[in-house]
Each structure stands twice: as C-alpha cells, then as structure tokens.
Amino acid sequence: MKADAMFHVKHPDVVDVLVIGAGHAGAECAWAAARRGARVRLLTQNLDTIAKMSCNPAIGGIGKGHLVREIDALNGIMPRAADASALQYRVLNRRKGPAVRATRAQCDRRLYQMHVRHLLDAHPNIGLHQATARQLVFDGDQVVGVVDELGMLHQARAVVLTTGTFLGGLIHIGESKFPAGRFGDAAVDSLTDELYHREFRLGRLKTGTPPRLDRRSIRWDELESQPGDPDAWPFSMQVSSLPRDQLACAVTRTNERTHEIIRENLHRSPMYSGEIRSTGPRYCPSIEDKVVRFPEKSGHQIFLEPEGRDHEEIYPNGVSTSLPLDVQWAFIRSIEGLEQARIIRPGYAIEYDYVDPTELQPSLETKKIRGLFHAGQINGTTGYEEAAAQGLLAGINAAARALDLESWVPDRSEAYLGVMVDDLVTRGVMEPYRMFTSRAEFRLHLREDNAEMRLGEHAIRLDLYDEERIRWHERRRERIERAMHEVRTAFVGTGAGWRERLAALGLPVPPQGMPLASYYHRPDVRSDKVLQLIDGAASLEPRERASLLAMIHYEGYLDKQQQDIERFRKLEGHRIPEHFDFASVQGLSIECRQRLSECRPRTLGQAARIPGVTPAAISSLMLHLHGERA
C-alpha cells in the first residue's frame, strides 16, 4: 500500500517507532526504543493481553536463562517482571560447570502481565493503542506507517513487526481447525499478503501447548514434590532476595496405558493425519510425537506447574498435544495422580507464518524495506526469552533508524543474543529456533554471572542506563577486577604464617608454594574457603563472589578462549562492501556465489558461517577483497 492510498483518518500524532504486537518481543521492543528517546506507539489487538504467557508460565532455562540475564544487563523489562511474579526458582545443570548452569523461574502469569503493563504505562515515551494492523504503508522502499482495521493511518519513521503466532495463525484440536492467533484471539492474515507482495520468503511453522488442569482435581499426595532452590539468584541485578514462600511443583510420568491410548488415536491427530505439514520445535515435541519417536520408553516425565497463587490452573509441562479433546481427557486420566483430573483448557497445536530470517540484516531491519524490523516468532524462533531478546535489539536499532543514532549488534563472542541473531540471519531456520548453550562457541565466557560485565558498557553507550545504575555498574566492575587481579597474583605459601592461616580455614597446606588459582583446583580444597584467602573478596556482594569463583574455576581456559575470540574478531573485522558483487570473485562455485548473494554477509566471519560456503571459498573471497584494497 502506498503512502497516498485511501484511508479514513490519520492518527494525529506521528511517532518515531511503531511496534505491531505486544507480546514479549513487542513489549521489550517498545521499552528499549523508548529508553533511547524514541516516541513509541505499541499497537495490539487487546490491551488486556500484553505480555501474555500463552504457553508455559515460566521464564529462563538452559540457554534461555542466559538470554534473560543479558536482557537485564541491557536494562530490559522481562527480568523485572519475572522477579516480581516469581513463584519458584530453580538452578538447572547444577552439577555442571558455571558456564552452563541456568536459572528458571516459575511465574504467576497474571502478575507477570500486570507488571509489564505497569512498566509500559509508566514510561512517558510509550503510548498504547488497541487496534489490529491491516496494511503496511510504503514510500518507495521505505516503510512509513500502518493502517489498522478501522482505516486509521499510524505514521512512523520505523515499524517493528512482532506478530508472534498471529500471522496466519491456524489452531488444530483433533479434527477441528480454525483461524486464531492463540486460543480466544483472532489471527492476522492481511500482513502476510503485504509481505508476500514485497517478495519476502515466507514459510509455515508449528508450536503447541498442553491442556490446563484444575489444581483441586489432582491427587498431590501421590506425587513427588519439586521445591524451589533457596540459593538461586533473581534475574534482575536490582533484586537481591527470593520469595519467602516458594511454591512447589510436582512430578509424575506417562505410562504404557497412556501411550496405548495415544497410539490408538494417532489417526485423529492432525500431525499424523496430514492436516499439519509445517515443522514443529524438535526440542519440545508433542506427547504423541514422543510416543512415536521413542517407542522404547515406558514413560515420559511431566512437571505439574502452578500458574498463579490466586487461581487453580495447573500447567502439565511435557504433554503438549493436538489430539481431540476426548482423547486428551482419556490419556490425562491414565497418569498417576491425574486419575480424577479436570481439563479446564484444551491443548492444541497452532500453525503460523514466518519470514525467512536471512531476509534480515543483523540489526533485524529487513534488507528489502528500509525502516521495517522483525522480532520474535516472525523470525522463526520459539520461546518467550528468544522473542524478548530480539525485541530488545530491534527496539534499540529501530530507535537508531528513526532518530539517526548509533545502531548496535553484539557479536557471537559477546552475548547469546549475538549468537542467536547471527544464527538466524546467516543460516536461517528449518524448524523453530530455540537457544541452547551448545550453540555458543565461547560459552565459557558467556556465563549468566557475568552478563552485565559483558554488556554493561554497551548499555551505557546506548543510553539504556540511568545515572544510578551507571555508578552501581562501575563500582561492581571495579570490585570484581580488583579481586581477580589479586587471584592472578596471589601465591599460597608453606611457611608458618601460611600454615596457621590455612589451618584456621580447614584448608590443606600444599607440598610447595603454588599460585592461588592452581591451589583452588586441588580436589581437597573447598572453593568457598579459598575466597577467604583473598582480601578483596571481603568487599564483594554474594553474586560477585559467585562470578569470581566462576572466573577462578575457568582460569587458563578463559585465557585460551580469549585467544580464540581475538582470532574470531579478526575475521569479523574483514568487512565486505554492502553492494559487493560475489559473482566477480574467481574460484567461487556457483553454489557459493548463490548462497553469498542471498545472505549478503557483512564480514568474512559471517560468510564463513553460511551453510555451503567452504573454507576455500573464504580464502578466495579474502584474496579478492585484499586485492581490491591494495
């Protein structure tokens, strides 16, 4: 639709950034853009469902918790809302090294929504507007606004699409299917047509959710209780304590009878009847998919998770399904502790449209349309945390586009956010993308405990911190660096003074003097006691001591990884001109030329990560670029 096309009325206020959709990506996007000084309008179908937890009422997890810490380091809202609504915290991968340990919080889904809404309402640069976006408005290859379903034109200098599962959304429950963005909310179809006409590559993906159960109908006394961890840390660095009364979850399992019911009704599942052809998340399969793919398993674990303190809804994590409702009743009631369970919301699968993320620049601005950004599930990702992190980055860069500010994209060595964005824009997706620690080459460096140390300086430069947080960040950095310098220079001796000091702490005397970092790794040495040998550790806050222990734990390995990071950044420093003609490079195969021309990598490093581009092709490209600059 052109800028001079017909519409009924113009909104009286032109904004800098217009955000379409108010899920986790949209809320974070609006907040980040507003923090940078942009005037923002957040357009959503229903103001009462802002940041609604459509599926699992939890924040964090392996890889995902790292993203939430990074959102906090960039002063986002997801960590604050999670901490304000937390029912229970758990530390995952506790037995593994600190790099892959992750925090997960079970949340009160209503309180979470209310807290996000409160933050958005309170920001003077953010305006909320209830409407459904119908058409994008363009001036040449520049987006200039959106027309809603009432014919109102909303003009903006940048537009961010955060449409979640609403774009062409289609719900499946057994033989029934109907258009919806999620159960109870209308789908959006016209924007897909707009993107198609602009020659964006579109596809279909699928996700799903389990039925919800009535708490009062569950036999809790028969089930294993899973309490929260009292030694976890809140997500926000501004929050220091956990809820006093963490709610327990419970654990049960499917059984052979459950699997028999599911197998007998597979022909009624839209996944197996042929109704659903799109790809679902590999790492979060439906219960019918688990039964088919893992026939040797006699049971699958189910976590019964409360959705709030003031209502009776329970989320049975592990039984996502699109089977008919009568089959859902039957297999749920075959599970221990759920023999009398009542379903109060059906489980379902939902198909939706997404845009191939290789259509994006790393800033999440589309390559074809200036000022148009995408964030969240429209980019082929799954999960609240992935969506929020993308929303934050899109908001930072949409504000930069609108206000002529500095744009910013973290690289793979700086943040899981950088890993995710690079994966998306370089490799695209074949299935819904989910973050894992295994995706990061530099994960020893990308830990939960040091997210603010990695990203705080960026946040300050981008005006995301207020003066108080800047001072707090600088004091924290100074304390940790001082203590780590002491670790690297300290030497544990064997003289009388050292013997007395070590004996007082219950620590062994080494056979000969050794660096403190080496002494720490002895199997007979307690790590928490070692910190008492460091004078600077006394001034550290508990979280800072945990970060210091992580650095000592990986001492040596981090030095080696830093060398890898420097080599990585050297390759990233080889820039490729924006309109470079890859066909002009001798020695490139036709496949390599096609892949490079489609992706349009910005650096040699990004080019090297494109599937199908060989090391020999990178060498040819490097030689060609050096020849041009000579």
Side-chain angles (χ1 to χ4, degrees), residues 10 86 104 108 243 371 387 429 467 524 564 624:
K10 288 183 181 179
R104 182 179 185 272
D108 184 313
V429 298
E467 289 299 323
D524 56 347
D564 295 336
H624 186 95

Side-chain angles (χ1 to χ4, degrees), residues 1 4 8 11 22 38 99 139 165 184 236 269 306 320 440 483 529 546 590 607 617:
M1 182 175 179
D4 59 353
H8 292 126
H11 192 287
D139 184 1
T165 59
S236 173
S269 166
S320 172
K529 296 290 186 180
I590 294 175

Side-chain angles (χ1 to χ4, degrees), residues 432-443:
Y433 180 98
R434 180 178 179 180
M435 178 50 68
F436 291 104
T437 54
S438 59
R439 295 190 187 274
E441 310 94 308
F442 309 115
R443 56 184 170 274

Side-chain angles (χ1 to χ4, degrees), residues 281-356:
R282 181 190 310 183
Y283 302 102
C284 188
S286 66
I287 186 60
E288 51 264 44
D289 209 19
K290 291 179 186 177
V291 169
V292 171
R293 288 167 54 186
F294 307 107
E296 73 283 0
K297 284 188 172 289
S298 60
H300 297 279
Q301 202 167 46
I302 302 169
F303 296 93
L304 301 176
E305 301 171 342
E307 298 210 346
R309 293 183 186 274
D310 63 347
H311 57 288
E312 305 302 326
E313 206 159 342
I314 297 296
Y315 182 95
N317 191 343
V319 288
S320 172
T321 185
S322 60
L323 285 162
L325 190 53
D326 61 302
V327 182
Q328 294 185 35
W329 277 97
F331 83 68
I332 285 291
R333 288 194 163 187
S334 71
I335 298 168
E336 182 183 5
L338 306 183
E339 294 88 350
Q340 303 299 319
R342 291 191 295 274
I343 293 175
I344 57 179
R345 297 182 199 242
Y348 61 87
I350 182 167
E351 294 184 283
Y352 56 94
D353 296 328
Y354 78 101
V355 178
D356 183 345

Side-chain angles (χ1 to χ4, degrees), residues 254-502:
T254 61
N255 52 59
E256 286 295 352
R257 176 57 185 151
T258 312
H259 300 176
E260 181 183 351
I261 293 169
I262 292 169
R263 281 192 291 265
E264 289 174 350
N265 289 279
L266 280 176
H267 64 285
R268 301 180 65 194
S269 166
M271 286 180 58
Y272 291 91
S273 68
E275 282 295 321
I276 293 179
R277 295 186 175 86
S278 51
T279 306
R282 181 190 310 183
Y283 302 102
C284 188
S286 66
I287 186 60
E288 51 264 44
D289 209 19
K290 291 179 186 177
V291 169
V292 171
R293 288 167 54 186
F294 307 107
E296 73 283 0
K297 284 188 172 289
S298 60
H300 297 279
Q301 202 167 46
I302 302 169
F303 296 93
L304 301 176
E305 301 171 342
E307 298 210 346
R309 293 183 186 274
D310 63 347
H311 57 288
E312 305 302 326
E313 206 159 342
I314 297 296
Y315 182 95
N317 191 343
V319 288
S320 172
T321 185
S322 60
L323 285 162
L325 190 53
D326 61 302
V327 182
Q328 294 185 35
W329 277 97
F331 83 68
I332 285 291
R333 288 194 163 187
S334 71
I335 298 168
E336 182 183 5
L338 306 183
E339 294 88 350
Q340 303 299 319
R342 291 191 295 274
I343 293 175
I344 57 179
R345 297 182 199 242
Y348 61 87
I350 182 167
E351 294 184 283
Y352 56 94
D353 296 328
Y354 78 101
V355 178
D356 183 345
T358 63
E359 296 271 13
L360 301 174
Q361 301 177 39
S363 64
L364 300 184
E365 185 175 22
T366 63
K367 295 173 181 176
K368 291 185 172 75
I369 303 297
R370 182 181 170 89
L372 179 62
F373 294 75
H374 294 174
Q377 284 175 287
I378 191 173
N379 292 337
T381 62
T382 183
Y384 307 145
E385 302 83 0
E386 290 87 345
Q390 290 173 73
L392 185 146
L393 184 64
I396 288 172
N397 290 317
R401 170 62 72 196
L403 302 177
D404 197 24
L405 301 173
E406 174 193 6
S407 63
W408 176 71
V409 179
D411 68 39
R412 298 181 71 91
S413 69
E414 292 180 297
Y416 275 91
L417 172 55
V419 172
M420 174 174 61
V421 169
D422 184 65
D423 282 349
L424 293 173
V425 304
T426 302
R427 301 171 182 169
V429 298
M430 299 298 291
E431 61 189 45
Y433 180 98
R434 180 178 179 180
M435 178 50 68
F436 291 104
T437 54
S438 59
R439 295 190 187 274
E441 310 94 308
F442 309 115
R443 56 184 170 274
L444 298 187
H445 177 61
L446 305 181
R447 306 184 306 275
E448 274 197 358
D449 66 83
N450 69 349
E452 183 159 300
M453 294 299 98
R454 292 184 276 116
L455 298 174
E457 297 303 314
H458 290 300
I460 292 170
R461 193 180 72 255
L462 296 168
D463 293 326
L464 300 176
Y465 283 2
D466 57 24
E467 289 299 323
E468 181 181 355
R469 183 152 184 183
I470 291 174
R471 289 192 295 271
W472 183 88
H473 167 77
E474 291 174 345
R475 288 194 297 267
R476 181 169 185 261
R477 176 182 288 279
E478 182 181 338
R479 288 194 298 267
I480 292 175
E481 288 180 348
R482 185 168 57 243
M484 195 59 199
H485 175 74
E486 188 177 348
V487 167
R488 289 179 174 140
T489 57
F491 199 82
V492 179
T494 59
W498 271 105
R499 289 177 179 275
E500 182 178 344
R501 190 176 179 188
L502 293 172

Side-chain angles (χ1 to χ4, degrees), residues 515-528:
L516 186 144
S518 300
Y519 179 76
Y520 168 91
H521 288 287
R522 285 180 47 147
D524 56 347
V525 170
R526 286 183 53 185
S527 59
D528 58 329

